[in-house]
Amino acid sequence: MKTSLVVLLLALSTFVLAENQPSHPIVLHAARLLDVANGKVMSPGEVLVEGEKIAEVGTSVSHPSGAETIALGDVTLMPGLIDAHVHLFLHPGAEDLQTVEESVPERTIIATLAAKADLMAGFTAERDMGTEGAGSADSAVRDAINNGSIPGPRLRVSGNAIDILGGHEDAINFNPAQHVLSNATYANNADQLVEAIREQVKEGADFIKIYQTGKDTLVNGQWHTPYQFTEAELEAAARETARTGRRFAVHSTGEPGALYAAQAGAESIDHADYLSDETMRLMKEKGIPAVPTFAIVEYFADHAATPKAAERERAMQAFHAAEFKKQLAAGVPMAVGSDVGPFPHGTQAREFELMAQYGMSPVAVLQADMINGAKLLGWEGQIGQLKPGYYADVIAVPGDPTKDISAVTKVSFVMKGGVVYKKRTVEGEQKEIRSGNKLPTIVCATDRDLEPF
């Protein structure tokens, strides 16, 4: 017992405690800085941070008396990344089994670790697209992040998504006699849909997630997926969400479900493997972004249980990639969302590379992520750009991301709201995690990301 206590005390003595919010201004200095709205990189780049907001941005900014300068070296400063489609309550493995075998408290703990992993990868804002059977536990995670109890991105949460009986997320692959619960909340008509929305809002949802299509099949080059809610039912959802100042997003991979969602005014159409000409026209007209989620399909293909299953996933990805080019040509707005959860949290910047691979320029991908992403999450004018008055959500990446989008997979510095969570300076391989108002900063000269204690 004494030996263990000594070891623990020695371990704790290596950490340096510090206040969460610096009492002094901070100047970030780097070789380059991204002006994402104009798609340009300036050199050098500096950002003056005062409290949780940006005060100045440019090649040279004021250095007030007492300001701390953080020299980050040969990197590009840019706004924090935004993932518009995540699942904090999921992890790699059988999605249906983990929602049955793991308790909600266990899954909530997993979600807090996922949130930290995403933040450390440079994602300072995310939209959690359903807890997959964990109810409104995402509201607790969001609130804990907001009050500084745990580290994580800014979150917009939807609670449990909404589905029909026998729909996409119902437990249709289990023995019916076992009465395994759905991963979503049932609603089978407009009245039930409104009731489910009211329940989600009561429990803290920022927006509503609706499963609109599934199960998907690709036969002879044709995409097939049954819709779940009619246009009239989705219009009822739109009226109810608007009544409470919210919006709804849909999981929709094809037609006519995507058309019904666009007609009803969904805030986004996620996955969007196939969109008709009329749907694309409406999305362009109404400014409804598609969120392609290529990374999840690539992961499923690479980790498929059988060669046949891998072949199916790759065929669907190829079909979607071809349709994606048509959507871009039609002027459909895009946002970046990875569907991370079924694949490891913190690795989802792969989505940026795939969107570029399938037809977007690096600048267009960055603008889709930061400009469109901020608007989609309801934080336009607050995040997504390095501008005075915006939150100081700043990351650093090597090279020039406007030329090589893979730079966003190599984040070396993370600041959210003026607080440094990860740091590698020109002085060495020092990393810092500042874990929130109620937790200490952990500083240690190491090449590993440390866990808060």
Side-chain angles (χ1 to χ4, degrees):
M1 177 66 72
K2 291 182 180 180
T3 301
S4 299
L5 181 58
V6 170
V7 171
L8 176 60
L9 291 174
L10 286 173
L12 292 178
S13 69
T14 65
F15 299 122
V16 179
L17 307 185
E19 293 181 1
N20 176 62
Q21 190 69 48
S23 59
H24 55 270
I26 296 176
V27 175
L28 305 177
H29 179 89
R32 296 168 298 278
L33 184 145
L34 173 64
D35 175 356
V36 65
N38 294 308
K40 297 180 179 179
V41 171
M42 63 180 70
S43 182
E46 288 193 336
V47 178
L48 172 62
V49 177
E50 295 182 346
E52 63 180 359
K53 299 289 186 70
I54 294 172
E56 290 183 44
V57 177
T59 55
S60 179
V61 299
S62 303
H63 287 236
S65 176
E68 174 190 2
T69 298
I70 300 178
L72 295 166
D74 187 21
V75 295
T76 299
L77 296 173
M78 58 186 288
L81 305 176
I82 300 171
D83 193 330
H85 192 126
V86 308
H87 291 284
L88 292 175
F89 287 77
L90 292 177
H91 58 81
E95 180 180 329
D96 54 350
L97 288 178
Q98 65 191 253
T99 62
V100 173
E101 295 175 347
E102 298 169 3
S103 69
V104 171
E106 180 181 359
R107 297 184 65 208
T108 304
I109 292 170
I110 291 171
T112 66
L113 298 176
K116 181 201 163 188
D118 290 353
L119 178 64
M120 295 298 286
F123 289 88
T124 56
E126 294 183 333
R127 192 176 58 152
D128 191 74
M129 295 291 286
T131 61
E132 306 278 332
S136 59
D138 54 357
S139 295
V141 174
R142 175 201 60 203
D143 294 348
I145 291 170
N146 288 346
N147 68 32
S149 297
I150 61 172
R154 304 179 191 278
L155 290 180
R156 295 295 197 197
V157 302
S158 64
N160 234 25
I162 300 174
D163 199 10
I164 62 172
L165 181 67
H168 176 74
E169 276 299 314
D170 203 352
I172 55 178
N173 294 320
F174 290 99
N175 175 3
Q178 296 301 317
H179 302 290
V180 176
L181 297 176
S182 171
N183 287 343
T185 298
Y186 286 135
N188 291 306
N189 55 50
D191 288 344
Q192 291 179 6
L193 191 51
V194 169
E195 183 178 359
I197 290 169
R198 290 176 179 175
E199 184 65 29
Q200 309 293 41
V201 170
K202 174 185 175 182
E203 295 183 2
D206 297 309
F207 71 100
I208 302 300
K209 158 76 175 289
I210 296 174
Y211 284 105
Q212 173 60 356
T213 65
K215 183 177 180 180
D216 309 324
T217 56
L218 183 63
V219 181
N220 298 324
Q222 299 293 315
W223 191 275
H224 303 274
T225 186
Y227 71 88
Q228 299 193 170
F229 294 97
T230 66
E231 181 188 356
E233 289 167 334
L234 291 181
E235 286 176 345
R239 288 193 298 270
E240 183 58 29
T241 51
R243 184 184 69 81
T244 63
R246 291 166 174 80
R247 298 178 293 170
F248 74 97
V250 296
H251 164 118
S252 186
T253 63
E255 299 292 356
L259 176 60
Y260 297 160
Q263 289 171 331
E267 73 173 16
S268 66
I269 294 179
D270 291 57
H271 310 303
D273 297 78
Y274 169 66
L275 303 173
S276 68
D277 290 344
E278 176 63 8
T279 300
M280 290 189 285
R281 184 191 70 78
L282 283 173
M283 292 174 70
K284 178 183 179 182
E285 179 184 294
K286 295 183 177 184
I288 300 171
V291 184
T293 66
F294 288 119
I296 186 70
V297 182
E298 180 184 67
Y299 182 86
F300 284 160
D302 291 344
H303 297 81
T306 66
K308 184 177 181 180
E311 182 182 356
R312 175 182 179 273
E313 297 290 346
R314 292 195 174 97
M316 287 188 158
Q317 186 84 312
F319 177 92
H320 188 184
E323 291 297 314
F324 180 63
K325 290 182 174 65
K326 296 178 185 178
Q327 294 164 15
L328 293 173
V332 174
M334 295 290 164
V336 179
S338 65
D339 212 358
V340 69
F343 70 97
H345 280 276
T347 69
Q348 68 262 46
R350 174 62 176 158
E351 185 72 23
F352 291 75
E353 296 178 305
L354 291 172
M355 291 177 74
Q357 178 180 322
Y358 294 142
M360 295 181 77
S361 69
V363 168
V365 176
L366 293 168
Q367 292 171 339
D369 182 64
M370 297 165 194
I371 306 298
N372 294 352
K375 183 177 180 180
L376 179 56
L377 270 63
W379 283 318
E380 185 178 17
Q382 299 179 75
I383 66 170
Q385 298 187 61
L386 300 182
K387 295 177 67 174
Y390 280 56
Y391 283 107
D393 295 356
V394 189
I395 65 171
V397 300
D400 181 349
T402 68
K403 297 177 180 177
D404 180 6
I405 196 66
S406 70
V408 300
T409 68
K410 307 177 185 72
V411 173
S412 59
F413 174 85
V414 178
M415 169 184 279
K416 192 192 84 175
V419 177
V420 175
Y421 287 84
K422 179 178 183 179
K423 180 170 68 176
R424 182 177 297 153
T425 69
V426 291
E427 287 80 15
E429 295 294 298
Q430 184 184 65
K431 288 189 178 182
E432 179 174 318
I433 300 174
R434 202 179 297 267
S435 301
N437 295 326
K438 297 182 180 179
L439 295 176
T441 298
I442 303 171
V443 181
C444 184
T446 177
D447 198 37
R448 295 182 298 110
D449 293 335
L450 297 172
E451 303 295 332
F453 61 92

